[in-house]
Amino acid sequence: MSARERILDAAAEVMQKSGVAATTTRQIARAAGCSEALLYKHFAHKQELFVAVLNERLPRLSDPRELAGTRTVAENLATLVEQLLAFYLRSFPMAASVFSSPSLRDAHRNSLSTMGAGPDQPARLLQTYLEIESRRGRLAPDTDCHALARVLTGAALFEAFQASYAGADEIDDAGTLAARIVAVVGTDIGGR
Amino acid sequence: MSARERILDAAAEVMQKSGVAATTTRQIARAAGCSEALLYKHFAHKQELFVAVLNERLPRLSDPRELAGTRTVAENLATLVEQLLAFYLRSFPMAASVFSSPSLRDAHRNSLSTMGAGPDQPARLLQTYLEIESRRGRLAPDTDCHALARVLTGAALFEAFQASYAGADEIDDAGTLAARIVAVVGTDIGGR
């Protein structure tokens, strides 16, 4: 396994346990069994490691372009919501710590924004999916894709927040829960 | 102003700034200009103060029994979602810190649960509202009140999370945003 992969594994482990705010690059290097100098060869700073952990070590969302046009829109949305449940359950406790002070939060945000990253990314991906289906005529033409994407993403965030609070390792029956969330946003999506 | 009110004001201020995890009763007593002994006469522990701050110092939700049967269901839901946006914008940064370690989170949860409090309370209140309207025939009879309440609550949580991340003091056009969230969950609610 390459040094980069080992460092990412270690970063994921330490950030899961301590949250991103309390994690230091020194701790990560130690957990990876490498020097901080080697870590900095691969990653400019802790926030870059955080974004890499989110993208490469956490449950992923499907590519909207691959989903579009397959099965029904409701089934595809349920798949995306189920993936979001898994993503948020792992990322929420990791990320929550950046809210522990305004200065920490601002530093984190500024650093992520130079990488083009931010917490609306999952909702943007769902919106992209909905917009493709809308152009294909598989959604009612007046669908508010922006709001719908954010409502579904928020529903997943809420459920992951509850499960994380309860100390759950996974979300029971995530597939059923995801389908129930999608069903509640309306019958316009269901049958197409 | 009574000692209890002064202590609550101080607790709200300190918890907003530092998060509930890093806040101590000693800091709160100091900010209130009283002794810790006096603080403990009014509140058994920090978690009791936290719940009191949520209930008595943060934007409140309307009483479901008072809303039910008035205006349209969509208008009432938009009011509740708008109130949730304000509630979560203030409470999210305060509460996020309890996720900074599993042991802290478990202690917080166990303490809150002895008071019957927990993070699903806002969704339960929305569900109560929806169930009353359902019994009155103002909602489609097959409405999934549990899922709908959690989806709407989650949508508000997501928007407050984004705004909080951006460092916003309030949510722009919260009324319009709330109406857009409610509109997206389906036309069944709109006209009744």
Side-chain angles (χ1 to χ4, degrees), chain B residues 69-171:
Chain B
T70 69
R71 305 188 301 173
T72 66
V73 174
E75 283 167 339
N76 288 332
L77 285 174
T79 294
L80 288 167
V81 169
E82 188 178 350
Q83 293 167 342
L84 276 172
L85 289 168
F87 170 78
Y88 277 130
L89 184 66
R90 298 275 310 278
S91 63
F92 184 79
M94 216 188 269
S97 59
V98 308
F99 287 92
S100 52
S101 88
S103 60
L104 197 69
R105 176 204 65 205
D106 292 349
H108 181 85
R109 182 186 66 237
N110 293 336
S111 181
L112 259 65
S113 94
T114 63
M115 294 179 268
D120 61 346
Q121 278 191 326
R124 280 168 186 267
L125 189 143
L126 256 72
Q127 187 178 340
T128 298
Y129 169 70
L130 289 167
E131 286 168 353
I132 299 173
E133 294 290 22
S134 181
R135 281 196 297 273
R136 286 173 178 247
R138 300 218 305 163
L139 270 177
D142 60 346
T143 302
D144 183 345
C145 295
H146 178 84
L148 180 53
R150 290 171 81 100
V151 163
L152 289 169
T153 308
L157 174 67
F158 181 81
E159 296 297 340
F161 164 54
Q162 302 297 319
S164 176
Y165 181 83
D169 281 331
E170 50 187 297
I171 291 173

Side-chain angles (χ1 to χ4, degrees), chain A residues 18 92 96 99-100 105 109 112 119-120 144 146 148 150-151 154 158-159 161-162 164-167 180 184-185, chain B residues 18 92 96 99-100 105 109 112 119-120 144 146 148 150-151 154 158-159 161-162 164-167 180 184-185:
Chain A
S18 315
F92 184 79
F99 288 92
S100 53
R105 176 204 64 205
R109 183 186 64 237
L112 259 65
D120 61 345
D144 183 345
H146 178 84
L148 180 53
R150 290 170 82 98
V151 164
F158 180 81
E159 296 297 340
F161 164 53
Q162 303 297 320
S164 175
Y165 181 83
R180 204 170 158 192
V184 100
V185 297
Chain B
S18 315
F92 184 79
F99 287 92
S100 52
R105 176 204 65 205
R109 182 186 66 237
L112 259 65
D120 61 346
D144 183 345
H146 178 84
L148 180 53
R150 290 171 81 100
V151 163
F158 181 81
E159 296 297 340
F161 164 54
Q162 302 297 319
S164 176
Y165 181 83
R180 204 170 158 192
V184 100
V185 296

